[in-house]
Amino acid sequence: MLNKRFYSFEGIDYSGKSTQIALLRDFLENQGHKVYVLREPGGTEISEQIRTLLLDKKNSAMTDFCEIFLYSAARTQLVSEKIIPLLEQGYFVIADRYVDSTTAYQGFGRGIDAEMVQQINRAATRGLMPAWTFFLQLEPEESYKRREASGRTTDRLEEAGKAFYRRVHEGYLELARAYPERFIALQAEDSVENIHQRIIQIIQEKGA
Ligand SMILES: Nc1ncnc2c1ncn2[C@@H]1O[C@H](COP(=O)(O)OP(=O)(O)OP(=O)(O)O)[C@@H](O)[C@H]1O
Ligand SMILES: [Mg+2]
């Protein structure tokens, strides 16, 4: 199956996605595999231009539907231009956010109708779903603490407010319940090393 080597990482900001992806990449490369990491939105020249639009604080007038179509436009370009060809060439592809982010942020967060979100997602991905989605589960309050500790400035999305992040968090929990065969929930407050070991264990059990 094409998606056997396709994994995504999900979770709210600062949940540790990039940290774990870097460790998983090293692990897989040390095993002799070819690995490609992609961040969303982005990952192709066109998708990175769309990313700039999406994160620009000047675009505060952006409507919720404009937002979901832009994310989905960036994603469908990524799927066609990068993800499918890389999988066909035998790469492991690790996506730093994928379609579940749209369900959580634009669906649950912004309140766009769930069925419509599903249809848009299906069109954007061309039906290509990851074998596993590693979901780093973090309370929004903990995310704010990590942000303060990092001293990073906020982007357009990060200014959306606490009620928004609470809904996104609930959305992820709902997704984990809805897709237990694909979603692997990990406690993001566990240590970096413990989480990494758990991810490796799952990949080895289920066959990398
Ligand atoms: N298990 C952990 N325990 C405590 N701190 C962690 C853990 N994992 C990552 N961190 C720290 O939390 C911060 C955010 O981590 P990281 O950048 O990996 O998250 P992210 O999910 O990729 O965030 P973003 O969505 O903003 O890209 C970093 O300062 C990182 O060192
Ligand atoms: Mg990150």
Side-chain angles (χ1 to χ4, degrees):
M1 252 175 30
L2 189 63
N3 74 349
K4 202 179 71 181
R5 297 193 179 88
F6 179 29
Y7 308 140
S8 66
F9 277 72
E10 293 283 354
I12 58 174
D13 294 346
Y14 300 92
S15 55
K17 299 178 295 298
S18 302
T19 303
Q20 291 300 328
I21 287 171
L23 292 171
L24 179 59
R25 177 211 285 258
D26 287 349
F27 171 80
L28 291 170
E29 282 180 348
N30 285 335
Q31 296 223 314
H33 296 297
K34 297 185 288 184
V35 183
Y36 208 99
V37 174
L38 294 160
R39 72 162 178 186
E40 273 221 21
T44 74
E45 218 172 300
I46 292 169
S47 309
E48 288 290 334
Q49 289 180 43
I50 298 174
R51 178 189 180 93
T52 304
L53 278 174
L54 278 163
L55 300 186
D56 189 343
K57 277 197 217 178
K58 287 201 298 289
N59 292 334
S60 58
M62 189 182 292
T63 70
D64 294 348
F65 275 96
C66 179
E67 183 181 271
I68 194 171
F69 285 125
L70 285 178
Y71 274 108
S72 303
R75 180 168 306 127
T76 200
Q77 188 68 29
L78 184 68
V79 168
S80 296
E81 195 179 316
K82 288 278 176 69
I83 300 180
I84 290 176
L86 286 164
L87 291 171
E88 284 172 348
Q89 290 164 40
Y91 276 85
F92 275 82
V93 176
I94 305 176
D96 193 338
R97 295 190 178 282
Y98 192 56
V99 69
D100 301 299
S101 283
T102 288
T103 307
Y105 284 76
Q106 281 70 54
F108 286 84
R110 303 285 190 216
I112 296 179
D113 174 73
E115 205 167 304
M116 202 178 286
V117 172
Q118 266 199 358
Q119 284 181 13
I120 293 169
N121 283 347
R122 215 173 299 132
T125 57
R126 299 169 56 192
L128 180 72
M129 293 298 285
W132 310 112
T133 294
F134 296 103
F135 165 43
L136 289 153
Q137 189 177 330
L138 188 71
E139 285 292 324
E141 285 67 28
E142 193 56 33
S143 165
Y144 303 139
K145 279 191 206 149
R146 287 188 186 179
R147 176 195 296 172
E148 274 164 31
S150 79
R152 204 168 83 180
T153 55
T154 58
D155 62 33
R156 188 184 64 86
L157 268 188
E158 286 176 331
E159 298 204 328
K162 293 198 170 177
F164 173 79
Y165 275 99
R166 177 55 55 188
R167 291 195 299 276
V168 171
H169 178 63
E170 298 297 333
Y172 273 129
L173 296 180
E174 187 67 35
L175 277 165
R177 281 192 290 270
Y179 301 101
E181 69 293 346
R182 174 170 63 86
F183 254 73
I184 311 285
L186 302 156
Q187 296 303 322
E189 288 180 59
D190 201 353
S191 74
V192 169
E193 188 51 33
N194 281 353
I195 297 169
H196 175 56
Q197 289 305 328
R198 178 99 186 91
I199 291 170
I200 289 175
Q201 188 192 4
I202 286 159
I203 288 173
Q204 285 175 333
E205 272 172 22
K206 317 234 183 208

